[in-house]
Amino acid sequence: MRLLLLLSLIPLYVFSASMPDKALFLQGQIDQGIILAHGKGMDPDFKVVKPLRLALNKDLGFHTLSLQMPNQYEVYEDYEKEQTKVDAMIDQSIAFLQSKGVKTIYLMGHSLGAGMMSSYLVSHPNAPIKGYIAIGCRGNKSKLISCTDNMPKIKIKTLDIWGRDNGEDESFATLRLPLIGEHYRQYGVEGANHVLDGSMEFVIEEIEGWLAP
């Protein structure tokens, strides 16, 4: 019984090395990798995550793993009930990348994916994650998956990106202005909407610079 209790306290990434269901993986050339999470109503090969997973693999040699996030609810806050499953999927993703020889891992999420990634980082402060990229991350009515509530609790290197033409994204990013410092940076993209249409080349350049040693 004691052994079973101890095993239940050990993160899933210690044991599992299989790729999460429906995730998209690109093998890299270096020992760094990134786990990407799309927004509500999207998929692992859709806006924001697709150009990033391709560019970071091609330009930087990163291993990239783009997840299939929950997609069954209309209301943002309803996704709170899926957070435990998402946490387990991120643990599984970490184990999978480590099985490929990855030693440095980053998380990136867009919109809902960013909120759920932020929740994971708050509840897993000792996970082997080097940095976190949030794009179009909002507060909404949820506390569990709210970047506004979670960002102050995240202690790792963070890059907060949003399109300045989206009023909701702009207002939430403004609330996070006091966090700017050594480990937290903001990048508001002029003329960009929530999914950064027409602006991804600038976002990729910013992210690649932030990831550079």
Side-chain angles (χ1 to χ4, degrees):
M1 179 64 74
R2 182 175 295 177
L3 176 60
L4 290 175
L5 178 60
L6 288 172
L7 290 175
S8 70
L9 297 174
I10 299 174
L12 184 64
Y13 54 75
V14 173
F15 301 108
S16 176
S18 62
M19 188 170 75
D21 188 40
K22 298 181 181 179
L24 298 177
F25 174 66
L26 288 174
Q27 182 86 25
Q29 290 78 49
I30 62 174
D31 63 359
Q32 298 190 58
I34 188 165
I35 301 166
L36 305 100
H38 63 76
K40 185 165 76 74
M42 300 185 189
D43 62 59
D45 205 31
F46 200 50
K47 289 187 177 183
V48 183
V49 291
K50 178 177 182 176
L52 277 171
R53 78 181 192 89
L54 297 176
L56 297 180
N57 176 260
K58 179 182 177 182
D59 299 343
L60 301 184
F62 267 55
H63 300 259
T64 65
L65 182 64
S66 187
L67 304 180
Q68 175 61 64
M69 300 296 286
N71 237 349
Q72 66 268 48
Y73 306 111
E74 288 296 324
V75 179
Y76 187 98
E77 291 74 30
D78 285 345
Y79 286 89
E80 286 188 342
K81 66 189 76 171
E82 300 296 322
Q83 188 61 48
T84 300
K85 294 178 184 177
V86 169
D87 288 350
M89 181 167 58
I90 296 171
D91 281 342
Q92 182 182 358
S93 301
I94 292 169
F96 176 74
L97 289 179
Q98 289 176 335
S99 75
K100 298 295 183 181
V102 175
K103 297 178 181 178
T104 303
I105 299 174
Y106 294 87
L107 297 184
M108 172 270 154
H110 170 242
S111 195
L112 174 65
M116 300 188 93
M117 289 286 198
S118 75
S119 180
Y120 173 85
L121 289 169
V122 169
S123 62
H124 295 71
N126 297 317
I129 302 299
K130 177 70 176 293
Y132 165 53
I133 301 164
I135 299 179
C137 203
R138 298 174 170 179
N140 296 65
K141 297 176 183 178
S142 167
K143 295 295 183 183
L144 183 66
I145 55 177
S146 164
C147 277
T148 301
D149 291 279
N150 290 334
M151 285 288 195
K153 305 171 188 175
I154 296 172
K155 305 305 179 186
I156 61 173
K157 178 181 176 182
T158 298
L159 178 60
D160 190 356
I161 299 174
W162 74 99
R164 307 202 77 151
D165 271 9
N166 185 284
E168 190 172 0
D169 289 351
E170 178 78 7
S171 64
F172 282 122
T174 299
L175 292 175
R176 299 192 290 269
L177 276 171
L179 300 177
I180 293 176
E182 182 181 359
H183 299 294
Y184 174 86
R185 193 165 105 200
Q186 285 193 334
Y187 174 51
V189 188
E190 298 291 344
N193 60 16
H194 183 60
V195 292
L196 306 175
D197 284 326
S199 300
M200 280 306 301
E201 61 181 294
F202 305 109
V203 172
I204 289 169
E205 182 179 359
E206 183 73 17
I207 289 174
E208 290 182 347
W210 182 81
L211 290 169

